[in-house]
Amino acid sequence: MLGLPVGGWWSDKRGRKEAFIVGTVILQVPAAMSVWLPSYEIYAAARFLFGFGQAVMDMTAFVLVTEVLGEQMASVPVWWMNSMFAIGQIAMSPLAMVMTHWRELNLAIAVLLATLLAVMCSLSESPKWLASQGRTSEAHKVLCRIAKVNKRPKPPPIAEPDLQITQKQQTAGVGVLCDRRLTVRFVVSCITWFCVSAAFYGLGLSAGSIPLSLYASNLLNGVVQVAGYVTGGYLIQRHWCGRKGAVVGGFLVGGACLLLSAFVRQKVVLLMFYYAGSFGVSTSFGVVFLYTAELFPTNVRGLALGINSLFARVGAMLSPYVAVAGSINHTLPPLIFGVMCLVAGGLQVLLPETRGVKLPDTVDDIGRVPAEDNS
């Protein structure tokens, strides 16, 4: 939790690339050391650093990819990055079956994480962040490098920004999120992240209670999540759906299926509702990252995502207690998670659609009219 707001602030102040690299290093060191640590206390401290680094790295990576790819390839971070998360979950089932000791499993994870260190040197800073900081010549060099790799003509030089605006962007902080033009977006997105995370992880924790083996249910959950992410990536580019429609649709499907599953005891029907609900929640979970990033300006985008992710972690922390409530009454978890999904879906009516809208650099860019798109 601590790494999320710190990482968001860091990426806004020092750059996406620096925050990503530092987060990766902080993640890698305790991951490798935890295999040989002699006591629980030291292991717990290592896990704290692991979680801190993972939070900084994940959140910053998503912001960096969103800013570099732009509108035409906005679906990539939705389905590709999130699908890699689900594929990692799928891979844990056979790994855990083969490596039954936790030290062996941790060693395998540390080796996989080491591959991240090999690609860090090839990273470029976000040109959008560089331009927002007044470093237009550096931003232009990055864009030229991207154009060269993609065999496209070099972009024209970037106009020098107004000095006063640049200084204002560089000193932006939490106070900007309290601006009346962002307040509704910020509050609704925090509630959305809390609800979608609670439902997402709550469903994962409930996997052991469905009539399948733990390994099979975990693997199927991962497959359904990939399907949800790919569907979300498709829907956000459709003019009849967009980001807002994909989030609302996922919440409605997930919430309705969870509510219905609370009153079903027949095995096949229960599995259908459970995985249909997981599909809907996964669709919203994947899209909400991109949707939130597009709602906030560049100078506070990392901080906004960090604070929203903090609310998501709170939801994830509370989800086990909701799942345990199933031992008292089996209908409670799906009812609670279902209602949360429906509430979060309903709140989206307060947010604007961001499809076809250029990523805002400042609060003054909020409310820009979407570009015409007939796709």
Side-chain angles (χ1 to χ4, degrees):
M1 289 177 64
L2 182 61
L4 293 167
V6 172
W9 172 84
W10 196 340
S11 70
D12 285 336
K13 294 296 181 183
R14 301 285 299 175
R16 318 310 193 198
K17 179 179 178 179
E18 180 179 310
F20 179 78
I21 291 175
V22 172
T24 304
V25 173
I26 295 175
L27 171 70
Q28 177 63 42
V29 173
M33 291 176 57
S34 62
V35 181
W36 296 281
L37 295 179
S39 67
Y40 173 77
E41 291 77 13
I42 301 176
Y43 178 77
R47 294 300 296 178
F48 173 83
L49 290 176
F50 183 93
F52 183 93
Q54 184 265 339
V56 173
M57 182 198 70
D58 280 2
M59 185 273 305
T60 307
F62 197 92
V63 174
L64 177 60
V65 171
T66 300
E67 292 180 344
V68 170
L69 292 180
E71 166 66 20
Q72 291 184 336
M73 298 186 68
S75 62
V76 173
V78 172
W79 71 267
W80 178 253
M81 293 183 67
N82 286 306
S83 292
M84 292 300 101
F85 175 85
I87 290 172
Q89 176 182 332
I90 294 171
M92 285 300 294
S93 289
L95 277 176
M97 292 176 68
V98 174
M99 302 176 181
T100 55
H101 197 284
W102 67 269
R103 289 186 186 272
E104 296 176 347
L105 191 59
N106 269 17
L107 180 60
I109 293 171
V111 171
L112 290 172
L113 287 172
T115 58
L116 287 173
L117 299 175
V119 301
M120 286 195 302
C121 295
S122 63
L123 281 177
S124 296
E125 182 56 86
S126 164
K128 196 162 188 66
W129 180 83
L130 288 170
S132 73
Q133 301 298 302
R135 297 159 62 178
T136 53
S137 60
E138 295 176 60
H140 186 253
K141 288 180 181 178
V142 173
L143 291 174
C144 289
R145 192 180 308 126
I146 294 173
K148 182 179 180 180
V149 171
N150 290 281
K151 298 179 180 179
R152 303 291 294 273
K154 289 185 178 181
I158 302 173
E160 292 291 336
D162 184 274
L163 183 59
Q164 290 184 341
I165 295 177
T166 301
Q167 291 175 341
K168 184 179 179 181
Q169 290 177 339
Q170 291 174 342
T171 57
V174 180
V176 176
L177 298 176
C178 298
D179 186 286
R180 60 181 178 80
R181 289 166 289 185
L182 293 179
T183 301
V184 173
R185 298 182 180 206
F186 183 59
V187 172
V188 171
S189 60
C190 285
I191 297 173
T192 300
W193 280 65
F194 173 85
C195 293
V196 74
S197 180
F200 182 85
Y201 289 105
L203 283 169
L205 291 169
S206 302
S209 63
I210 64 174
L212 287 175
S213 72
L214 183 60
Y215 295 113
S217 61
N218 179 72
L219 190 147
L220 279 175
N221 250 340
V223 172
V224 170
Q225 286 170 24
V226 172
Y229 298 145
V230 173
T231 301
Y234 170 80
L235 291 176
I236 63 171
Q237 298 292 61
R238 308 279 75 80
H239 69 276
W240 45 266
C241 186
R243 282 67 157 153
K244 185 176 179 178
V247 173
V248 172
F251 274 132
L252 292 180
V253 170
C257 290
L258 287 172
L259 290 178
L260 290 172
S261 69
F263 306 102
V264 173
R265 298 272 62 85
Q266 209 279 332
K267 178 179 177 179
V268 175
V269 179
L270 176 62
L271 287 174
M272 289 174 59
F273 280 134
Y274 173 83
Y275 285 112
S278 179
F279 171 83
V281 173
S282 297
T283 300
S284 294
F285 189 79
V287 177
V288 78
F289 281 86
L290 175 68
Y291 192 26
T292 304
E294 293 180 339
L295 285 171
F296 295 94
T298 301
N299 55 344
V300 290
R301 184 170 295 120
L303 181 61
L305 275 175
I307 296 176
N308 276 274
S309 297
L310 180 63
F311 276 83
R313 292 297 190 275
V314 174
M317 289 169 60
L318 294 178
S319 62
Y321 299 100
V322 178
V324 169
S327 60
I328 302 172
N329 187 326
H330 68 271
T331 64
L332 285 178
L335 284 176
I336 294 173
F337 291 137
V339 170
M340 291 174 71
C341 287
L342 295 179
V343 169
L347 287 174
Q348 304 309 302
V349 300
L350 301 175
L351 299 179
E353 176 57 64
T354 58
R355 179 182 175 275
V357 180
K358 182 181 177 182
L359 285 177
D361 289 320
T362 67
V363 178
D364 295 330
D365 294 332
I366 299 298
R368 185 175 292 159
V369 178
E372 186 68 27
D373 193 330
N374 297 319
S375 62

